Amino acid sequence: MSLYGTMRTGVSGMNAQATRLSTVGDNIANASTAGYKKASTQFSSLILPSGQGSYNSGGVNASVRYSISDQGTFSYTTSDTDLAINGRGFFIVEGTDGVEYLTRAGSFVQLDDGTLVNAAGFKLMGYPYQSNVDPTIVINGFDGLTEINLKGGGISTNPSTAGYITANLPANEVVPYSKATSLVAFDSQGNTRKLDFTYTKTGDNAWSVTASYTDPTTSTTTTVLAPTALTFDADGKLETPAAGLLQTDELTISGAVLGELDIDISGLTQTGKGFESTGDINGSEASSAIGYEIGKDGVVSLKYESGELVPKFRIAMADVQSPDKLNPLAGNVYSQSMDSGVIVMGYPANGSYGSILSGALEDSNVDIAEELTSMIESQRNYTANSKVFQTGSELMEVLVNLKR
């Protein structure tokens, strides 16, 4: 046995325990860091070849492993832009260097320009939303991603396209009894346009209906629905039009377009009761964005003054085959490594990807009690290894002094 080898073995043990203490220090320091994944030190022995009657002491090798795939608990907050992932996957964020990274740290805040940035300064990325169409994803790259912006909505207009009228026409009135009612529709620029529907009795169980628009500035009246015959059966049920549907004409008003409207009149009746009418038309007037909502599926919708929710973005997510093999970087982000597997893109609540929790943060998966225990163990082991080194040094001194 070599005394120098014994001393080197003691040094190897001290270095290994120092590495373990370093990971413990990092874990304790980041115990309150949202989305932080703990590091742990694993040891393996180093064995040197030994000869007949002699033993060569080896040492210990320390390697660091990250528990990235272990999900932490959740803490709920009062901010809707605090986001957590319940399940597999990572947020895609962009650094100031223009490079995309993976992270589980979802403590995002809205900047003045509308972008969402987490505590480390990384911007949240996603896809523009398309109604009833899933995003076109480059499954092995970040092409097509854009910054999610909560101020990108501007002014919203939602033109009217359809509506309904439910009315009772009095059967006992005599020809040419007439009654009018109105509905408000919205043109292509979000202006309100009042349409007047007039019902005129033309005979037994027979009526006609017209619709018109009167310009309030010029008092000009334009017909948008020519006289249309309505007939009822003996029980007062609508017979014609058989489809129970009216369609108004398109109308241009001061440069804006009030499009064709499909009006459902299947609820019309003719009875001995007096005239009464209800109805509604879809669409809304022009309004500004006043808030936002983020759904479990990662759809980011802007909320407008009219109460309308308009989807604008869909949060992007990514995953790899071996998350624990990702490269950890400063800012609680990760990049692909040779051992992690390729990055596969997707979006929340789809396939194996987790869902989004708005108003929540994923806690660090560090257990303080476990880390303090590891710290005490490392301290004791470091001391023991130093004693091995000290003993080897003392024996070397004895060997040198034999010559005296």
Side-chain angles (χ1 to χ4, degrees):
M1 178 183 70
S2 168
L3 292 178
Y4 283 120
T6 300
M7 295 170 65
R8 284 194 291 269
T9 299
V11 170
S12 171
M14 287 189 288
N15 286 335
Q17 295 304 320
T19 299
R20 187 184 186 189
L21 281 170
S22 296
T23 60
V24 169
D26 268 352
N27 291 341
I28 293 176
N30 288 280
S32 298
T33 301
Y36 176 80
K37 302 302 181 181
K38 70 178 181 180
S40 59
T41 305
Q42 305 298 317
F43 303 110
S44 59
S45 60
L46 295 175
I47 305 298
L48 298 178
S50 300
Q52 290 281 341
S54 65
Y55 179 77
N56 289 329
S57 60
V60 61
N61 182 50
S63 60
V64 177
R65 184 174 68 186
Y66 296 91
S67 301
I68 300 172
S69 59
D70 293 343
Q71 180 172 292
T73 57
F74 299 112
S75 295
Y76 291 90
T77 72
T78 58
S79 174
D80 290 339
T81 56
D82 282 337
L83 305 176
I85 300 172
N86 185 17
R88 289 183 63 98
F90 298 84
F91 295 113
I92 309 298
V93 292
E94 184 179 84
T96 55
D97 55 2
V99 176
E100 285 78 17
Y101 301 95
L102 312 184
T103 189
R104 296 278 293 196
S107 54
F108 296 102
V109 295
Q110 182 181 350
L111 298 184
D112 290 340
D113 62 0
T115 56
L116 293 176
V117 178
N118 68 11
F122 292 88
K123 292 183 178 180
L124 181 63
M125 306 297 286
Y127 298 100
Y129 182 85
Q130 291 179 293
S131 178
N132 300 320
V133 177
D134 288 331
T136 300
I137 295 173
V138 179
I139 60 173
N140 61 344
F142 300 113
D143 291 345
L145 291 175
T146 184
E147 297 174 355
I148 290 180
N149 193 304
L150 299 182
K151 286 189 176 179
I155 304 296
S156 171
T157 58
N158 185 21
S160 299
T161 58
Y164 73 92
I165 294 175
T166 300
N168 179 72
L169 305 180
N172 296 326
E173 296 293 344
V174 296
V175 177
Y177 171 83
S178 181
K179 191 70 174 180
T181 187
S182 301
L183 286 177
V184 172
F186 304 92
D187 66 20
S188 59
Q189 295 179 1
N191 301 301
T192 58
R193 304 298 181 185
K194 184 171 72 73
L195 299 179
D196 297 316
F197 290 82
T198 303
Y199 305 90
T200 303
K201 188 168 185 178
T202 59
D204 292 338
N205 298 334
W207 296 73
S208 71
V209 59
T210 62
S212 60
Y213 169 75
T214 301
D215 192 320
T217 59
T218 63
S219 299
T220 302
T221 299
T222 305
T223 298
V224 294
L225 176 68
T228 302
L230 305 175
T231 60
F232 298 85
D233 63 18
D235 295 325
K237 305 291 187 182
L238 184 68
E239 284 188 330
T240 59
L245 192 68
L246 301 176
Q247 187 176 72
T248 65
D249 297 328
E250 182 179 291
L251 181 64
T252 300
I253 311 168
S254 302
V257 175
L258 179 61
E260 296 178 347
L261 303 176
D262 293 325
I263 307 297
D264 182 358
I265 59 168
S266 58
L268 289 184
T269 60
Q270 179 192 251
T271 70
K273 194 177 180 180
F275 179 86
E276 58 182 37
S277 178
T278 61
D280 196 13
I281 292 178
N282 65 5
S284 60
E285 60 185 338
S287 59
S288 301
I290 58 172
Y292 49 84
E293 285 188 8
I294 301 175
K296 291 183 178 181
D297 56 359
V299 174
V300 181
S301 302
L302 298 186
K303 184 185 297 183
Y304 288 87
E305 295 169 324
S306 61
E308 183 183 16
L309 279 175
V310 180
K312 291 294 184 180
F313 300 96
R314 194 164 193 174
I315 295 173
M317 290 185 70
D319 201 3
V320 293
Q321 289 87 345
S322 300
D324 292 342
K325 296 295 185 179
L326 287 167
N327 287 326
L329 302 171
N332 209 5
V333 297
Y334 307 97
S335 64
Q336 180 183 340
S337 72
M338 294 294 293
D339 298 323
S340 67
V342 298
I343 294 175
V344 180
M345 301 292 293
Y347 42 89
N350 182 267
S352 63
Y353 294 96
S355 58
I356 297 294
L357 299 179
S358 177
L361 291 173
E362 182 180 357
D363 299 327
S364 163
N365 60 2
V366 172
D367 185 330
I368 290 292
E370 181 181 336
E371 298 304 319
L372 292 176
T373 302
S374 296
M375 182 171 63
I376 294 171
E377 290 178 352
S378 296
Q379 181 182 10
R380 297 288 185 253
N381 291 339
Y382 190 96
T383 301
N385 278 283
S386 70
K387 292 297 183 181
V388 172
F389 181 87
Q390 182 180 358
T391 300
S393 176
E394 291 173 352
L395 291 176
M396 283 293 297
E397 185 176 0
V398 170
L399 185 61
V400 170
N401 288 337
L402 286 177
K403 189 174 183 297
R404 295 179 181 178

